[in-house]
């Protein structure tokens, strides 16, 4: 298990050759975990940066919900799943 900042990750190679990354976000107020599918080998630092980027994209999409000005929904990201622990 690799750990950086407050994110811990473990990786597993799938039969397809892709890598499944399971991550844990250690936050006392709101611990979370999730999965990221990586199609090419990447260093741990890049994987963690990608997780942070995708979380920011989700957060900003949630903040952009305005009932008076509907915006196009963010397409589903089938390579990134996030859950509350």
């Amino acid at each position: 298990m690799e750990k950086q900042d407050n994110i811990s990750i473990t990786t597993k190679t799938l039969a397809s050759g892709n890598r499944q990354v399971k991550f844990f976000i250690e936050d006392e107020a709101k611990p979370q975990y999730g999965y990221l599918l990586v199609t090419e080998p990447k260093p741990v630092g890049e994987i963690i940066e990608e997780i942070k980027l995708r979380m920011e994209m989700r957060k900003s999409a949630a903040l952009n919900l305005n009932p008076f000005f509907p915006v196009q929904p963010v397409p589903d990201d089938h390579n990134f799943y996030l859950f509350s622990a």
Side-chain angles (χ1 to χ4, degrees):
M1 180 177 292
E2 300 284 336
K3 185 173 181 177
Q4 196 174 51
D5 296 331
N6 64 340
I7 300 176
S8 304
I9 68 168
T10 57
T11 60
K12 173 179 155 183
T13 302
L14 304 175
S16 65
N18 294 335
R19 296 185 67 84
Q20 179 189 50
V21 178
K22 182 174 184 180
F23 60 91
F24 298 94
I25 301 168
E26 299 164 13
D27 183 359
E28 289 182 19
K30 187 177 180 185
Q32 297 175 312
Y33 71 98
Y35 298 91
L36 172 67
L37 183 65
V38 180
T39 57
E40 58 193 37
K42 292 184 178 183
V44 173
E46 282 186 35
I47 292 172
I48 291 177
E49 287 304 314
E50 185 169 346
I51 291 168
K52 289 178 181 179
L53 175 68
R54 290 180 185 229
M55 289 183 61
E56 283 300 317
M57 288 174 23
R58 276 207 177 172
K59 183 188 274 186
S60 67
L63 293 176
N64 285 334
L65 294 177
N66 185 335
F68 301 110
F69 299 102
V71 293
Q72 293 288 0
V74 175
D76 289 338
D77 186 354
H78 298 289
N79 292 333
F80 183 76
Y81 296 93
L82 182 64
F83 305 97
S84 293

